[in-house]
Amino acid sequence: MDKQELAEELSNNFSYLKTERAKFESEWETCENYVAPSVFGFNNTERERPKRPIRFTSRPSNFFKILVTGLVGYSASPNIVWLKLSLEDEKALDSYGVKDWLESVERVIYAELNRTNFYVNLPKLVSSAGLYGHGVMLIDESPDLKMRFTVIPTADIYLDTDDNGNPDTIYRVINLTLRQAVIKFGKENLSSDLQLDYEDKARWNKNVEILHATYKRSSYNPEQKDGKNKEWASVYMETSKKHIIKESGYDTNPYSVFYWDQIPGTAYSESPASHALSDVKVLNKTNEARLKVAQLSAEPPMNVPESMRGQESVIPGGMNYMDKTGQVMSPVQTGANFPITLQVTEYTENCIKDWFHVDFFLTLQNQQRVLTATEVLELQGEKAATLAPLIVNLNSALSSCVERIISILSTQNKLPMPPQALVENNNFLKIDFVGPLAQAQKKYHSTGGAAQALSFIAPVQQLSPASMDWIDFDLFVKEMLESQGMPQRIIREQDDVDKIRAVRAEQQAQMQQQQMQMEQQKNLLGNLNKLNEPIKQGSVMQELTNQLKGGFE
């Protein structure tokens, strides 16, 4: 396919993606107006200057912030261990050195994340998904080969999916000045019109809209190592002239897409903001009414005699002069009920809290009494169980991030050499998440079940000790340690455990042998004083002596 055909194809696809996304933009803008901290607007080309929406309450924005910070803090924070690597083939984990190698790869990943802007941009990714239903993060390398993470504004992203609902087409609109476009792509790669404009410095700040199309190629030759034959295409095009600026590719998908609650059959998703939108509107209207009621109570309309028209004074300390005794100003009784609006406000706020899972992230703060550690774990585990779909979707987005990170680190030769057992077999990495949110679920389901089983079998053991033979306590302890996120370097390898047990068994055998020898010596010494005593009638020695005599005869 030549450049002209490619440009035409991209342009047609872009028009289709615009039409599909337009079906959701109205709701996104409404969510922005009522929930987002600031509003950029999808029709506002100057998105670098957001508008402040007119609202009568900031509570939904506050609840939304708690959701974002809580979800990030409970899932992937720089201060916690939230990622563990394993293998799809669990039997391969028993090979010597495999688990230590996996943990060394984890340390390389953590070190790389701490050096980059990953933890700065992760809240932005979650915030975008929580507001619009999806968030998109670009993971690539800077010119100095440093890994970088960029959350793309929703207004600049257009998505499409494959038949399984996985995003395989990401179109991104980039607005650059002409000077920036020349620096990024080179003057010679731009269209002839832009090259001509660049000759005039007065046009250097001219806006240039560029489309960056990333999609999975349907056909390519992996034997050829050039960018045009990689699995994922990367094409930059001037939208106004349909001019291809650059065509290359990626070995893996450079984008991680976080879907909050994907709508079947579409490339987009619903969000907690869209779910709570009706309640948010009610709360906004209720607060507007409450402010009006408060204002009516503080500054009610007044009934003023006709004779005082234009002369009344209702300001604090104001003076009103009256000729007649009956001339009295009085407030109008509106009948507004302030407590009713407070009740509606409280009820609506609680509904919005449920949509944003505020109670889960503020479990301890909301308790009326001090809870024990066990009660806290059970309460968090129960609430975490209700977040299962969200956790699955977030882990999917984080998994794609980690896979992309490993791919880049491998290309840069920053990963340690794998043990021979992995080199000889084709094993696949498995990514497990062990952050507090994932742990809360695991403790509630797996660990909690094991603890309950042990408490059940404890009284049974007293009646039938042999029943404990059904439990492999070595495997039980190992599974419990790993489920609790115990670092692998602390857990011994099976071979090491076998050696320790062999040495211990040998030491115990030697100690038993020494005790037997000491007991024999003690018995021998205790019988020395009996050697010259006559044999007693009916004793064992007499019977033995009689047998010996019979043998000699």
Side-chain angles (χ1 to χ4, degrees):
M1 183 184 299
D2 60 25
K3 287 188 174 182
Q4 188 60 39
E5 291 177 338
L6 178 59
E8 195 65 34
E9 179 180 308
L10 294 180
S11 181
N12 292 336
N13 289 340
F14 188 33
S15 298
Y16 166 76
L17 295 180
K18 282 182 177 179
T19 303
E20 289 299 305
R21 199 189 78 168
K23 301 174 183 177
F24 304 90
E25 291 178 358
S26 175
E27 183 174 76
W28 295 348
E29 286 193 87
T30 306
C31 290
E32 273 191 345
N33 290 330
Y34 285 95
V35 179
S38 58
V39 175
F40 287 86
F42 289 86
N43 297 320
N44 178 18
T45 57
E46 298 181 1
R47 298 188 186 114
E48 69 278 2
R49 303 185 67 180
K51 300 180 295 183
R52 297 294 175 185
I54 299 176
R55 301 173 186 154
F56 295 97
T57 177
S58 62
R59 298 293 283 168
S61 297
N62 182 44
F63 297 152
F64 177 70
K65 183 179 179 180
I66 293 174
L67 170 64
V68 173
T69 56
L71 191 57
V72 173
Y74 272 73
S75 300
S77 167
N79 301 317
I80 62 173
V81 175
W82 56 273
L83 166 69
K84 295 286 289 184
L85 296 180
S86 184
L87 297 176
E88 294 288 348
D89 182 8
E90 294 186 357
K91 295 181 179 179
L93 294 172
D94 295 330
S95 300
Y96 193 83
V98 171
K99 290 185 178 180
D100 290 334
W101 176 79
L102 290 172
E103 189 163 285
S104 65
V105 174
E106 292 169 15
R107 289 196 292 269
V108 173
I109 294 174
Y110 282 127
E112 189 69 23
L113 292 178
N114 288 328
R115 284 195 295 266
T116 64
N117 61 344
F118 172 78
Y119 291 111
V120 174
N121 281 277
L122 183 58
K124 300 177 183 177
L125 177 70
V126 175
S127 178
S128 179
L131 189 63
Y132 307 107
H134 65 281
V136 180
M137 176 185 284
L138 172 64
I139 308 166
D140 63 351
E141 300 172 83
S142 60
D144 59 353
L145 299 182
K146 183 178 180 181
M147 205 177 304
R148 62 185 176 186
F149 301 82
T150 308
V151 176
I152 312 301
T154 303
D156 297 338
I157 283 291
Y158 300 82
L159 300 174
D160 202 2
T161 61
D162 59 19
D163 55 348
N164 293 319
N166 300 313
D168 65 347
T169 301
I170 302 96
Y171 280 25
R172 174 192 177 189
V173 174
I174 306 174
N175 286 283
L176 301 174
T177 64
L178 178 56
R179 183 184 66 87
Q180 292 171 333
V182 170
I183 294 174
K184 183 175 179 65
F185 301 106
K187 176 183 174 182
E188 67 280 2
N189 294 315
L190 301 179
S191 64
S192 57
D193 290 349
L194 290 183
Q195 293 184 35
L196 183 61
D197 288 340
Y198 189 71
E199 299 299 324
D200 183 4
K201 288 188 177 182
R203 295 177 174 268
W204 280 15
N205 290 324
K206 171 185 176 181
N207 182 70
V208 179
E209 185 181 86
I210 296 173
L211 175 67
H212 181 206
T214 303
Y215 54 92
K216 199 169 186 178
R217 285 191 169 103
S218 57
S219 61
Y220 63 98
N221 185 1
E223 299 298 327
Q224 299 184 13
K225 302 302 181 181
D226 61 321
K228 294 182 180 181
N229 283 283
K230 293 190 175 184
E231 184 177 6
W232 289 84
S234 172
V235 184
Y236 290 90
M237 181 185 76
E238 292 177 28
T239 56
S240 60
K241 298 295 182 181
K242 297 183 182 180
H243 171 77
I244 301 297
I245 301 175
K246 179 182 177 181
E247 181 182 2
S248 60
Y250 300 99
D251 294 317
T252 57
N253 187 358
Y255 289 98
S256 173
V257 180
F258 174 23
Y259 282 123
W260 196 280
D261 185 11
Q262 188 174 5
I263 303 172
T266 73
Y268 298 102
S269 175
E270 293 183 332
S271 69
S274 63
H275 290 156
L277 193 55
S278 58
D279 290 324
V280 172
K281 288 182 177 180
V282 170
L283 181 63
N284 196 68
K285 198 67 178 178
T286 303
N287 274 272
E288 180 183 5
R290 187 157 61 96
L291 290 174
K292 290 180 178 179
V293 170
Q295 188 175 8
L296 284 173
S297 299
E299 299 178 358
M302 302 295 293
N303 291 320
V304 182
E306 179 65 28
S307 60
M308 297 181 65
R309 180 188 292 270
Q311 301 176 11
E312 69 278 2
S313 176
V314 293
I315 62 175
M319 304 293 290
N320 291 283
Y321 299 95
M322 304 178 184
D323 295 331
K324 299 179 181 179
T325 306
Q327 290 182 335
V328 178
M329 292 189 298
S330 61
V332 177
Q333 299 299 322
T334 61
N337 192 331
F338 195 75
I340 291 179
T341 59
L342 288 177
Q343 293 172 2
V344 174
T345 298
E346 182 179 4
Y347 171 79
T348 310
E349 284 186 356
N350 288 332
C351 292
I352 298 172
K353 283 182 179 180
D354 290 340
W355 286 117
F356 291 129
H357 308 289
V358 172
D359 286 342
F360 172 80
F361 298 111
L362 299 179
T363 300
L364 295 179
Q365 180 177 318
N366 294 334
Q367 296 306 310
Q368 302 298 321
R369 63 179 180 86
V370 178
L371 301 178
T372 64
T374 303
E375 288 176 329
V376 172
L377 290 177
E378 290 180 353
L379 186 59
Q380 287 186 328
E382 181 182 351
K383 291 185 176 181
T386 64
L387 299 178
L390 170 59
I391 296 174
V392 169
N393 292 338
L394 177 59
N395 288 350
S396 176
L398 291 175
S399 293
S400 60
C401 285
V402 175
E403 290 171 0
R404 175 65 176 163
I405 291 167
I406 293 176
S407 175
I408 294 177
L409 291 175
S410 177
T411 304
Q412 296 178 348
N413 296 319
K414 290 184 178 181
L415 296 179
M417 289 295 295
Q420 191 64 27
L422 290 182
V423 175
E424 295 173 353
N425 299 291
N426 188 19
N427 289 293
F428 295 94
L429 284 176
K430 184 175 73 171
I431 302 170
D432 294 325
F433 295 97
V434 294
L437 189 57
Q439 285 293 334
Q441 269 197 318
K442 290 180 180 179
K443 290 176 183 177
Y444 182 70
H445 292 288
S446 59
T447 310
Q452 291 177 359
L454 284 181
S455 63
F456 166 78
I457 204 172
V460 178
Q461 179 193 9
Q462 298 177 359
L463 300 175
S464 175
S467 62
M468 302 301 289
D469 296 340
W470 287 97
I471 301 177
D472 186 341
F473 282 98
D474 280 354
L475 183 59
F476 172 78
V477 172
K478 187 177 178 182
E479 290 287 341
M480 291 291 287
L481 291 176
E482 292 180 351
S483 68
Q484 297 293 326
M486 176 74 75
Q488 188 57 46
R489 61 181 179 273
I490 298 177
I491 305 175
R492 290 191 173 99
E493 298 280 357
Q494 184 65 50
D495 292 346
D496 294 334
V497 174
D498 292 340
K499 291 178 182 178
I500 292 173
R501 289 177 173 176
V503 172
R504 184 188 299 126
E506 184 178 354
Q507 291 174 346
Q508 290 175 347
Q510 292 176 354
M511 291 178 63
Q512 290 177 356
Q513 186 176 3
Q514 291 174 359
Q515 290 176 354
M516 291 176 61
Q517 292 174 352
M518 291 175 64
E519 188 68 26
Q520 291 174 356
Q521 291 176 1
K522 180 180 178 181
N523 293 336
L524 180 61
L525 293 174
N527 292 325
L528 284 176
N529 58 351
K530 300 179 181 180
L531 292 177
N532 296 323
E533 294 181 359
I535 300 174
K536 295 180 179 180
Q537 295 296 324
S539 65
V540 177
M541 287 300 295
Q542 184 185 20
E543 184 179 351
L544 180 61
T545 302
N546 293 335
Q547 291 178 359
L548 290 174
K549 287 181 179 181
F552 289 133
E553 294 177 356

